[in-house]
Amino acid sequence: MNPVEIKDLPGLVGTEVGVSDWLLVDQDRVNKFADATGDHQWIHVDVERAKREIGGPIAHGYLTLSLIPHLSDGMLPVKGVTRGINYGSDKVRFTNMVRVGKRVRLRQKLIGAEPKAGGMQIKNECTIEIEGEDKPACIAETMSVLYG
């Protein structure tokens, strides 16, 4: 998408702003996330047990959610933004598990834009798709405030 002015964001509501490249979710990424968060549940980090009991390890749901900023980087370039802050999320749903070794990508749609606190609050519908699967891994509405 071409860069837009912050004042023009409300006119883009309802527009798909981009689809990211595919990103591999490998065991190293899962292990690092487990270390960072302290969530070492066996379904994520005990590869042999996970293979025996559930067909292989799966990524943390919150790891999947945490990929949104990386996957959305550059998707909706806004001219003159001096800073943006994460304002939260609404309706986060983990609708499918991401098996380790799968690739995911983000499909993002702008669903809201309104002035807030001297900036522009935007809301995106973020759908994290899994390569080769019909059901997405995660659907979340994320909010940010952009300042120019």
Side-chain angles (χ1 to χ4, degrees), residues 19 23 47-48 77 96 100 136 143:
V19 179
L23 176 73
V47 174
E48 292 309 313
N96 197 358
V100 171
M143 295 172 288

Side-chain angles (χ1 to χ4, degrees), residues 6-22:
I6 199 166
K7 67 178 177 48
D8 296 330
L9 288 170
L12 294 174
V13 170
T15 302
E16 182 174 274
V17 296
V19 179
S20 74
D21 291 334
W22 291 104

Side-chain angles (χ1 to χ4, degrees), residues 2-9 76-84 118-120 145-148:
N2 292 325
V4 299
E5 299 285 340
I6 199 166
K7 67 178 177 48
D8 296 330
L9 288 170
L76 180 58
V78 181
K79 296 177 189 174
V81 170
T82 58
R83 72 187 183 284
M120 181 71 70
V145 181
L146 306 178
Y147 296 94

Side-chain angles (χ1 to χ4, degrees), residues 8-48:
D8 296 330
L9 288 170
L12 294 174
V13 170
T15 302
E16 182 174 274
V17 296
V19 179
S20 74
D21 291 334
W22 291 104
L23 176 73
L24 177 66
V25 178
D26 60 12
Q27 191 64 51
D28 183 58
R29 183 181 299 271
V30 170
N31 291 344
K32 287 177 179 172
F33 188 84
D35 289 343
T37 62
D39 182 353
H40 291 94
Q41 188 177 169
W42 66 267
I43 62 174
H44 308 303
V45 298
D46 187 337
V47 174
E48 292 309 313

